[in-house]
Amino acid sequence: MICRDMTFYKEYEKVWVAVDVIIFGFDDGKLKILIGRRQMDPGRGEWSLYGGFVGNNESVDEAAERVLYSLTGLRRLYMRQVGAFGAVDRDPGERVVSIAYYALINVADYDEQLRLEHGLEWVDVKHIPTLYSDHNDMTQQALKKMRQKIKTEPISFRLLPPLFTLTQLQKLYEAVQGEEVDKRNFRKRVKEMDFIEKTELIDKSHSKRGAALYRFNRRTYNEDPNFKL
């Protein structure tokens, strides 16, 4: 417990600090975010990201991790800070500054019962409804950062199952970037990356011939700092 001398800063007004988390998932060939109906005033019933206020004894990163775990039940997820959102009128309730984060999860790892308990829904990023306050802006900034990051770091594997096909990888990359890529060139570049390993396993869920399954080798990637997709 941190004790603070309450005699300091009395001449200043207090400002609330919150965190909001944009949770991305990849499902059915589409990039999606997890949203729900706001369950508190102001804005009760509006579509919203999920977040919470930062406690006196936790950092903003710890608060974001707490919120993420409460919603997903998962730990050690990929999460990065998007930025601070502090427009004076962003929250009609109080003067609130929010630190936004984005996180990536494999939808298959997410407990469906937990989603239902929280009243959450996966929504295609192409069809995001109007969200509470500046949450649409947060989401767009998160997408922008993720699109930049996916070109220089293999974060796409955070959204895929451990074993995946090249078609799945391509569709994910296209979903994040919001545009189609040339199949032949994409596969040529992927196959040149030693840290994407072809296995002897075959996925026959979509055709009799099937498609080869690949996996990400983190150790090999760590030895290859020049990755660029």
Side-chain angles (χ1 to χ4, degrees):
M1 183 71 177
I2 299 176
C3 295
R4 296 180 175 86
D5 191 330
M6 301 304 293
T7 62
F8 296 127
Y9 313 130
K10 286 186 176 181
E11 67 271 31
Y12 299 104
E13 295 182 3
K14 291 185 177 180
V15 175
W16 295 87
V17 179
V19 294
D20 285 289
V21 183
I22 302 102
I23 303 174
F24 290 106
F26 181 66
D27 185 43
D28 194 27
K30 300 175 182 177
L31 183 67
K32 300 180 178 181
I33 65 168
L34 203 57
I35 61 174
R37 296 288 184 177
R38 189 169 166 87
Q39 298 179 14
M40 62 185 297
D41 293 319
R44 186 183 296 271
E46 295 183 28
W47 286 111
S48 173
L49 299 174
Y50 267 68
F53 289 102
V54 179
N56 286 334
N57 298 296
E58 63 181 355
S59 68
V60 291
D61 287 350
E62 290 169 341
E65 290 171 358
R66 168 175 54 81
V67 169
L68 185 58
Y69 178 72
S70 70
L71 291 177
T72 66
L74 302 171
R75 297 193 185 276
R76 297 182 179 180
L77 295 174
Y78 181 93
M79 183 169 63
R80 293 292 184 273
Q81 191 177 113
V82 176
F85 292 78
V88 174
D89 59 351
R90 66 171 300 276
D91 192 305
E94 291 286 351
R95 178 74 171 94
V96 180
V97 173
S98 182
I99 312 300
Y101 291 77
Y102 76 89
L104 310 180
I105 71 172
N106 178 2
V107 174
D109 292 336
Y110 184 36
D111 186 348
E112 180 70 4
Q113 186 59 39
L114 193 58
R115 182 188 70 80
L116 295 174
E117 288 177 5
H118 284 287
L120 302 172
E121 292 189 22
W122 286 109
V123 177
D124 188 338
V125 294
K126 293 182 179 180
H127 305 291
I128 299 173
T130 299
L131 304 176
Y132 174 75
S133 184
D134 51 7
H135 290 188
N136 287 92
D137 292 337
M138 290 181 181
T139 301
Q140 291 306 310
Q141 287 297 318
L143 270 171
K144 182 179 180 180
K145 286 185 176 293
M146 185 166 62
R147 284 167 178 162
Q148 294 170 340
K149 185 70 71 174
I150 201 172
K151 295 178 181 179
T152 58
E153 291 184 22
I155 63 172
S156 55
F157 304 107
R158 304 281 187 162
L159 296 161
L160 291 169
L163 296 174
F164 53 87
T165 65
L166 292 185
T167 296
Q168 285 177 300
L169 181 60
Q170 179 181 333
K171 286 185 177 297
L172 170 58
Y173 188 80
E174 291 175 334
V176 172
Q177 295 295 350
E179 60 185 15
E180 293 185 2
V181 298
D182 182 80
K183 179 178 178 180
R184 181 176 297 178
N185 289 337
F186 181 84
R187 296 195 173 203
K188 179 181 178 181
R189 294 174 68 183
V190 168
K191 289 181 178 180
E192 291 173 349
M193 300 171 187
D194 293 338
F195 55 85
I196 300 180
E197 297 180 338
K198 184 178 181 180
T199 72
E200 296 180 354
L201 302 174
I202 301 295
D203 174 21
K204 294 187 177 182
S205 59
H206 294 91
S207 68
K208 292 183 179 179
R209 181 181 178 183
L213 287 166
Y214 291 74
R215 64 187 171 202
F216 171 60
N217 187 316
R218 181 174 298 279
R219 178 178 297 177
T220 304
Y221 167 73
N222 290 336
E223 298 172 354
D224 180 13
N226 298 316
F227 164 74
K228 187 173 182 180
L229 187 58

